[in-house]
């Protein structure tokens, strides 16, 4: 089994930047076909923000395109979400996830709050 732990959340002013990290144990991201970041805003369902497929192909939801960057560091068994030009609408709990050898794993989430 795999365990995922997010870090790097916090409060930031609109227009600022924040970098989220996700550390894996029990398995390695290099064995995962897909790694991803999701978020859940207050009163909303959890939605996909960004993912990496096959360790190379990235995609982003329209609302963060051009502002967020997803990355994967296999040497440290971590993944990251660099968030720039943050907006108040980005306020949410952010979760990392991975699909590895047929199983799906989730972190506990980290709170991101963007204030104006």
């Amino acid at each position: 089994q795999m365990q995922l732990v997010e870090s790097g959340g916090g409060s930031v002013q609109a227009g600022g930047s924040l970098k989220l990290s996700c550390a894996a144990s029990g398995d390695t991201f290099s064995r995962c076909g897909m790694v991803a970041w999701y978020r859940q805003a207050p009163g909303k369902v959890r939605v996909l923000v960004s993912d990496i497929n096959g360790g190379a192909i990235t995609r982003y939801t329209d609302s963060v395109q051009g502002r967020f960057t997803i990355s994967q560091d296999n040497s440290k068994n971590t993944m990251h979400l660099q968030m720039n030009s943050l907006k108040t609408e980005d306020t949410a709990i952010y979760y990392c996830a991975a699909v590895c050898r047929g199983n799906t794993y989730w972190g506990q989430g980290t709170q991101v709050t963007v204030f104006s």
Side-chain angles (χ1 to χ4, degrees), residues 3 6-8 10 14-15 19 31 34 38 42 45 51 55 59 61 68 71 77 81 84 89 93 95 99-100 113:
Q3 297 83 43
E6 301 95 338
S7 63
K19 186 177 183 179
R31 295 182 180 182
M34 186 268 284
Y38 287 74
V45 299
D51 60 10
R59 59 181 181 175
T61 191
F68 290 10
S71 62
N77 206 20
L81 184 68
N84 298 324
E89 302 96 291
I93 301 174
Y95 301 86
V99 179
C100 313
T113 302

Side-chain angles (χ1 to χ4, degrees), residues 3-17:
Q3 297 83 43
L4 303 176
V5 179
E6 301 95 338
S7 63
S11 297
V12 63
Q13 190 170 25
S17 298

Side-chain angles (χ1 to χ4, degrees), residues 18-102:
L18 206 60
K19 186 177 183 179
L20 305 183
S21 298
C22 176
S25 60
D27 207 346
T28 62
F29 282 129
S30 64
R31 295 182 180 182
C32 303
M34 186 268 284
V35 299
W37 286 96
Y38 287 74
R39 69 185 181 188
Q40 187 168 17
K44 304 292 185 179
V45 299
R46 190 176 301 185
V47 297
L48 176 68
V49 177
S50 179
D51 60 10
I52 305 174
N53 287 273
I57 302 173
T58 63
R59 59 181 181 175
Y60 301 87
T61 191
D62 288 344
S63 62
V64 309
Q65 180 71 48
R67 300 188 297 119
F68 290 10
T69 303
I70 189 171
S71 62
Q72 180 178 335
D73 187 343
N74 290 336
S75 68
K76 297 181 179 180
N77 206 20
T78 59
M79 59 177 294
H80 306 275
L81 184 68
Q82 177 66 52
M83 305 183 293
N84 298 324
S85 301
L86 283 162
K87 305 175 180 180
T88 56
E89 302 96 291
D90 296 318
T91 295
I93 301 174
Y94 284 72
Y95 301 86
C96 60
V99 179
C100 313
R101 295 186 286 185

